[in-house]
């Protein structure tokens, strides 16, 4: 188990870059890391959601904070 200081310094390197997380409910989310602290990380991603009164799903930008204790892993996404 890595220490909190090592975890925080490793995650802070990826602020503003695309990462992937796996929640305790086994839901995988890929998005841009907005901020990170010892207790939580904040992630921003786009998701298609059915909007009331619209025929098609609309792309909505979501921002959510996740407790570090509720995450199984965090890893950077490498794109070429």
């Amino acid at each position: 188990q890595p220490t909190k200081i090592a975890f925080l310094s490793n995650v802070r390197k990826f602020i503003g870059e695309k990462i992937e997380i796996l929640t305790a409910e086994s839901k995988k989310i890929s998005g841009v890391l907005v901020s990170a602290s010892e207790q939580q990380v904040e992630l921003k991603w786009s998701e298609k959601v059915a909007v009331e009164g619209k025929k098609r799903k609309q792309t909505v930008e979501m921002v959510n904070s996740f407790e570090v204790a509720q995450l199984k892993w965090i890893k950077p996404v490498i794109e070429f």
Side-chain angles (χ1 to χ4, degrees), residues 10-42:
N10 285 334
V11 172
R12 281 197 176 151
K13 288 190 288 188
F14 300 110
I15 290 179
E17 295 186 25
K18 194 167 185 177
I19 64 164
E20 193 171 73
I21 62 170
L22 184 67
T23 63
E25 298 87 33
S26 297
K27 184 177 180 183
K28 193 184 288 188
I29 301 172
S30 183
V32 176
L33 182 64
V34 177
S35 66
S37 68
E38 294 173 358
Q39 290 84 23
Q40 64 184 15
V41 293
E42 191 171 344

Side-chain angles (χ1 to χ4, degrees), residues 32-59:
V32 176
L33 182 64
V34 177
S35 66
S37 68
E38 294 173 358
Q39 290 84 23
Q40 64 184 15
V41 293
E42 191 171 344
L43 197 64
K44 177 171 69 171
W45 71 96
S46 295
E47 190 173 290
K48 288 198 173 213
V49 178
V51 178
E52 188 82 24
K54 298 284 185 175
K55 214 174 215 185
R56 296 187 179 136
K57 291 184 177 181
Q58 301 290 316
T59 302

